[in-house]
Amino acid sequence: MLSRGNISPMFYRILSRFPPNFAFCFAYGSGVKQQLGYDKVKKKQNMIDLIYTVDNAHRWHASNLERNPDHYSGLGRFGGNFIAKYQETLGAKVFFNTLIPIPEEDVVIKYGVVSTKDLLDDLTDWTSLYLAGRLHKPVEIIKTAASSKLQNALESNLKAAVHAALLVLPEKFTEFELYRAISNLSYAGDFRMIFGENKDKVNNIVRPQLENFRNLYSPTLTQLNRVLYLPVDSSDNVVCIQDQSEQTILYHLNHLPKWPVRRIVYKQTKGRYRQDTEDILTAVSKSSNYQEVVSRCLRSIVWQSSVKQSIKNIPSAGISKSIKYSWAKALKTFNM
């Protein structure tokens, strides 16, 4: 049974339409978090994006197919087991149902379903940076993590985002540039940014939410005060200074998740021979182009997952909804 807790009445009513056995749920995007430019678009035109994290995808989809069969495209006729396998084996391992009208709330929602084990992998290893990247930004937590393991993974994801951002930033930068770099980790390399997305999207996310970013990252930034000077009287134009010694660069590299580290090692050796990871990272920390090495590896992860997930979303949404959704995204961009 879904507990009301601190859930807003609207979200409580929306979530009550779905099977209650999910481990974590959050909402993201312009429908729930302010973005510059979206005040030009009517509120009801901003879709609410939800992510349900479930321990058993087969069971959840089977139950949801009974409750909400009209949410699914033609794939739904193959049943919950097929949907779960489609979800867990392709793309970023998320299954989306989109353009779902909720007339009573005067909103339209898109919701993704991910298995807990796959979300844990992305949060801790950055296997796709798909949901991990969304959780680098402030989101609306609808249901808090059901386990300490998941909560710890959410926190480690934020810490890794700071290490990665500091690796691609110069010695001096503003607080705004720090949060922009963090937000850009999952956008740089996303092929959807080539078309269909506002090119100022990252700036538009960060500027109106500086205080939310501060609250989200304050614990991690405090722990890094040995290598990062962040003025107490923070504002988006106050200059921050980071230590860029080889020792500190190596420290950040060693705190990247497993998948980016593997990419760095593979790229540096061109996959031709095995070499100790620590030796490779030490060599990268001494190189003059370490920022580009890190950026390139992160972009490659995002590129692959964004392409594969976008292709995967076409059958799950159905052709007509895919066209309608893409057209709506394009209209929002042109209206900015």
Side-chain angles (χ1 to χ4, degrees):
M1 185 70 178
L2 180 66
S3 172
R4 283 186 181 272
N6 294 322
I7 302 176
S8 72
M10 182 188 72
F11 278 123
Y12 178 80
R13 291 190 295 269
I14 291 175
L15 266 61
S16 295
R17 295 167 168 264
F18 294 91
N21 51 324
F22 47 89
F24 177 58
C25 179
F26 67 93
Y28 65 97
S30 59
V32 293
K33 292 295 181 181
Q34 183 185 358
Q35 292 183 24
L36 293 182
Y38 278 89
D39 55 345
K40 298 177 183 178
V41 184
K42 290 182 180 179
K43 181 72 174 177
K44 68 179 180 181
Q45 291 179 310
N46 281 345
M47 186 184 303
I48 293 178
D49 298 275
L50 292 163
I51 295 292
Y52 294 105
T53 305
V54 301
D55 292 334
N56 188 314
H58 173 197
R59 187 181 305 155
W60 196 91
H61 283 295
S63 179
N64 196 40
L65 278 164
E66 291 182 1
R67 290 178 178 231
N68 303 298
D70 56 318
H71 289 188
Y72 291 81
S73 67
L75 295 180
R77 69 171 64 98
F78 298 108
N81 189 45
F82 175 88
I83 296 293
K85 287 182 178 178
Y86 188 79
Q87 171 191 309
E88 295 179 338
T89 56
L90 299 172
K93 300 185 178 180
V94 187
F95 186 92
F96 281 102
N97 285 323
T98 190
L99 295 178
I100 308 299
I102 311 290
E104 299 90 325
E105 308 297 335
D106 195 27
V107 298
V108 175
I109 67 170
K110 178 181 77 173
Y111 64 94
V113 184
V114 64
S115 295
T116 304
K117 60 182 176 60
D118 293 326
L119 178 59
L120 283 169
D121 284 345
D122 198 26
L123 290 172
T124 57
D125 296 342
W126 286 8
T127 51
S128 69
L129 262 175
Y130 195 81
L131 293 181
R134 280 162 174 74
L135 286 160
H136 288 162
K137 278 84 75 176
V139 299
E140 191 76 21
I141 303 297
I142 310 302
K143 180 180 179 181
T144 55
S147 68
S148 58
K149 187 175 183 180
L150 184 51
Q151 184 58 46
N152 290 338
L154 290 165
E155 293 172 5
S156 71
N157 180 48
L158 297 178
K159 293 177 182 177
V162 173
H163 288 294
L166 291 175
L167 282 167
V168 301
L169 283 165
E171 181 185 10
K172 297 180 180 181
F173 49 87
T174 65
E175 187 185 18
F176 168 76
E177 289 170 333
L178 170 61
Y179 300 137
R180 183 177 63 186
I182 289 172
S183 299
N184 200 47
L185 295 174
S186 58
Y187 282 118
D190 190 332
F191 92 102
R192 293 170 299 177
M193 295 301 290
I194 300 173
F195 59 89
E197 285 286 5
N198 180 12
K199 299 302 182 289
D200 290 324
K201 186 178 182 69
V202 177
N203 289 343
N204 293 345
I205 289 172
V206 178
R207 285 208 179 278
Q209 294 197 76
L210 272 174
E211 193 58 37
N212 289 334
F213 274 97
R214 286 177 187 137
N215 293 335
L216 190 61
Y217 283 99
S218 177
T220 297
L221 294 174
T222 299
Q223 293 173 4
L224 291 174
N225 59 6
R226 182 174 58 85
V227 296
L228 173 65
Y229 170 67
L230 189 66
V232 176
D233 185 20
S234 297
S235 66
D236 62 343
N237 60 356
V238 170
V239 175
C240 310
I241 304 173
Q242 66 163 320
D243 176 18
Q244 288 189 309
S245 65
E246 292 175 5
Q247 182 182 8
T248 298
I249 294 168
L250 181 60
Y251 169 72
H252 291 315
L253 288 169
N254 278 318
H255 282 81
L256 290 178
K258 181 166 65 176
W259 211 249
V261 170
R262 282 184 176 178
R263 290 292 182 99
I264 290 172
V265 171
Y266 181 84
K267 291 291 184 181
Q268 294 303 111
T269 62
K270 300 188 180 345
R272 290 199 295 260
Y273 56 91
R274 300 181 68 86
Q275 190 171 343
D276 184 72
T277 296
E278 189 64 23
D279 290 343
I280 295 292
L281 295 184
T282 299
V284 170
S285 71
K286 297 175 183 294
S287 68
S288 59
N289 69 331
Y290 72 90
Q291 292 167 316
E292 179 55 29
V293 169
V294 173
S295 296
R296 189 167 57 243
C297 288
L298 293 174
R299 287 198 302 267
S300 68
I301 293 173
V302 173
W303 173 266
Q304 289 187 14
S305 66
S306 66
V307 170
K308 292 177 181 178
Q309 184 65 39
S310 294
I311 294 172
K312 173 184 177 179
N313 288 346
I314 296 173
S316 61
I319 297 298
S320 61
K321 278 190 176 183
S322 294
I323 294 173
K324 187 176 180 181
Y325 179 73
S326 299
W327 179 248
K329 293 281 284 186
L331 284 178
K332 280 186 179 181
T333 301
F334 295 145
N335 288 329
M336 291 295 172

